Amino acid sequence: MEFICEWCGKAADKSLDTVYWELPDGSRAIEITDTPAVSCKDCGMVYQTEEVTKEIEDQLFLIDTKPIGKIISFEDLMARPRLLKRNYFDFSS
């Protein structure tokens, strides 16, 4: 699958990156490693798609975040059991 950079419009590649995210309760931020990203060799931007951003936000909203340490991998974060089946407060879909 070919990606087009949302910043410069040139061809971009799928990659993995480390991101920092504030927990929904605002108590702290965590480091999420190996997060799916788009990387543009032309302009140098590395970013997450809207879909990945929504996945992270929904998951952090639906799980117990207290046991999460300062660093977690994307895969481990997404594997955490949810307290609810979906985000019932998200009216965008």
Side-chain angles (χ1 to χ4, degrees):
M1 175 182 206
E2 184 175 309
F3 290 93
I4 301 297
C5 178
E6 293 179 14
W7 297 89
C8 72
K10 308 273 178 146
D13 297 311
K14 182 178 172 180
S15 66
L16 297 175
D17 196 29
T18 296
V19 297
Y20 301 89
W21 225 272
E22 184 177 353
L23 296 180
D25 65 3
S27 62
R28 62 191 172 105
I30 59 170
E31 180 178 322
I32 307 170
T33 61
D34 299 324
T35 304
V38 177
S39 177
C40 180
K41 293 176 188 166
D42 196 63
C43 71
M45 289 300 298
V46 179
Y47 61 93
Q48 282 61 52
T49 62
E50 288 184 33
E51 292 82 15
V52 170
T53 299
K54 184 168 177 13
E55 269 187 89
I56 292 170
E57 289 177 352
D58 282 350
Q59 186 69 349
L60 288 173
F61 189 73
L62 297 172
I63 64 172
D64 181 7
T65 58
K66 289 178 185 77
I68 295 176
K70 293 180 181 181
I71 302 171
I72 189 169
S73 73
F74 179 81
E75 185 177 322
D76 289 344
L77 176 64
M78 292 302 139
R80 297 267 175 160
R82 291 181 169 193
L83 301 174
L84 297 171
K85 292 184 181 183
R86 67 181 192 91
N87 184 350
Y88 293 99
F89 301 101
D90 178 8
F91 301 108
S92 65
S93 48

